[in-house]
Amino acid sequence: MKTKTSAGISIILWSIILVVAIMLFSSLSTNNFTFFTGIINNPGDRQLLQEKTISDEITDIQINWVSGGVKIRQSDDFNYIYVKEYALGNLDQSKWATINIINNQLVIESLNQTSWNLFFWQSPISYLEVFLPEQLYNRVVLKLTSGNYEFDGLEVTNLDLNATSGNLVIKNVETTNTRLNITSGNINASGLIADDMDIIMTSGNVTLNATVKEKFYSKITSGLLTANFKELAPTALDVDMTAGRVEVKLVESADFEAIVSKVSGSFNADFTHTRDGDRYVYRNGQDRYTFKITSGSIKLIVND
């Protein structure tokens, strides 16, 4: 019995040694990150990778980022675009972001594909900072995988944000059309002004303190959406929810009818209203709001 136990332990130990040897060989032959280079790189030291000033006329911006984070700020302190990338640890130059200008479009793409290795050690995380001069941009497209993201003070006609996961903060952004597509993660938006806004959410948590002048649409598979519409109410509002929880707050000057269609779940009308079946009327019922619920709960509040 003791012989069999010793043989089993020996097999396990040699298996671990073999795995480590394969990883070390892979690191030396391909120059990819492994557990050993993770130790050598001393993650946590902030190191500037590259910086670039752009004086070209830019109307559109597209950023594709994998992990770490991105900060975009618009400021009158700059009359050019200033881009800076840094990493927490040594990062091979082959993994630095690419920065290109194509037909007045600034395209920035992260090449730092985070890889997990022994004991879940990961390669150094990279971050991007973009400072923009004050102007109206035509389109800003952001494709984000995970990490922490912050966008402050942008003025853009079309904002298209696609996030797989992560934490996003949007502050003082003014747009005509805003589209947020979220697989999971957290979004906190304050001081956001838009004519139209679409939110497509698989799961996650979205908190809005915003002004939407015309149309607001949200399609939610699950998750939590809290929307506080300030200053004025949208002229059209459509919520389609499979599961989860939604809370919508409107200003007193709102004037709407809410049409509710539900399979199960609940709709809470927290305002003075008249009701005819699944139709709730506030004031004169001027604007049409629709709520479709498969499951979950929706609460509609008027701050009167």
Side-chain angles (χ1 to χ4, degrees):
M1 182 67 180
K2 187 178 294 186
T3 303
K4 290 183 178 180
T5 302
S6 299
I9 295 174
S10 178
I11 291 172
I12 293 172
L13 289 175
W14 279 109
S15 297
I16 293 173
I17 293 172
L18 178 61
V19 169
V20 172
I22 292 173
M23 293 174 62
L24 179 58
F25 176 77
S26 175
S27 174
L28 295 173
S29 61
T30 64
N31 201 30
N32 287 332
F33 174 83
T34 67
F35 172 72
F36 300 98
T37 57
I39 295 175
I40 296 170
N41 280 335
N42 188 22
D45 295 339
R46 175 172 168 149
Q47 300 184 23
L48 179 65
L49 303 180
Q50 59 176 323
E51 57 185 340
K52 186 173 184 179
T53 58
I54 300 169
S55 300
D56 303 58
E57 180 182 356
I58 299 296
T59 58
D60 294 53
I61 298 171
Q62 177 171 324
I63 297 176
N64 305 327
W65 209 257
V66 178
S67 66
V70 174
K71 288 186 178 181
I72 302 177
R73 292 190 178 95
Q74 195 165 352
S75 172
D76 58 5
D77 292 337
F78 293 88
N79 56 10
Y80 54 84
I81 295 175
Y82 175 51
V83 179
K84 178 170 65 174
E85 182 187 17
Y86 63 92
L88 302 182
N90 297 320
L91 186 65
D92 189 89
Q93 190 168 352
S94 64
K95 294 186 177 183
W96 294 8
T98 59
I99 304 172
N100 297 300
I101 299 172
I102 306 170
N103 298 326
N104 301 116
Q105 180 184 39
L106 173 62
V107 180
I108 303 175
E109 183 167 3
S110 171
L111 299 181
N112 187 17
Q113 307 288 333
T114 300
S115 59
W116 295 85
N117 291 283
L118 189 61
F119 305 129
F120 300 100
W121 201 279
Q122 68 179 116
S123 59
I125 297 173
S126 54
Y127 294 84
L128 180 74
E129 291 186 2
V130 180
F131 297 90
L132 301 172
E134 286 193 344
Q135 71 174 65
L136 175 62
Y137 294 89
N138 176 56
R139 180 177 294 276
V140 173
V141 178
L142 305 166
K143 298 180 180 180
L144 315 171
T145 302
S146 67
N148 297 302
Y149 302 92
E150 181 180 320
F151 314 113
D152 187 4
L154 298 182
E155 188 176 358
V156 55
T157 301
N158 300 289
L159 175 63
D160 193 342
L161 191 154
N162 298 273
T164 303
S165 66
N167 300 299
L168 296 91
V169 176
I170 302 172
K171 299 187 295 184
N172 305 316
V173 173
E174 185 171 352
T175 76
T176 301
N177 303 298
T178 298
R179 182 178 182 275
L180 307 178
N181 193 331
I182 311 145
T183 302
S184 69
N186 302 296
I187 293 182
N188 191 318
S190 60
L192 175 62
I193 300 174
D195 289 353
D196 297 330
M197 179 181 293
D198 291 355
I199 297 179
I200 311 297
M201 181 167 63
T202 303
S203 69
N205 189 336
V206 176
T207 302
L208 296 176
N209 287 285
T211 299
V212 177
K213 301 175 184 178
E214 298 178 16
K215 178 184 175 184
F216 177 83
Y217 171 77
S218 65
K219 183 176 179 61
I220 302 167
T221 304
S222 70
L224 172 63
L225 169 64
T226 303
N228 183 12
F229 295 111
K230 310 178 83 172
E231 297 186 15
L232 52 84
T235 57
L237 188 147
D238 186 4
V239 176
D240 186 348
M241 183 174 67
T242 303
R245 184 161 66 91
V246 172
E247 182 175 286
V248 176
K249 296 181 180 179
L250 301 169
V251 293
E252 184 181 5
S253 59
D255 189 341
F256 63 88
E257 62 171 357
I259 310 299
V260 180
S261 172
K262 65 179 187 291
V263 176
S264 67
S266 64
F267 178 82
N268 183 358
D270 189 2
F271 53 91
T272 303
H273 64 275
T274 59
R275 179 178 177 182
D276 181 11
D278 290 327
R279 180 174 178 264
Y280 303 76
V281 178
Y282 179 73
R283 293 186 183 271
N284 300 312
Q286 172 181 293
D287 300 322
R288 183 179 175 88
Y289 295 171
T290 61
F291 299 89
K292 183 178 179 182
I293 310 168
T294 302
S295 178
S297 66
I298 294 178
K299 185 176 185 179
L300 182 61
I301 304 168
V302 177
N303 294 318
D304 52 7

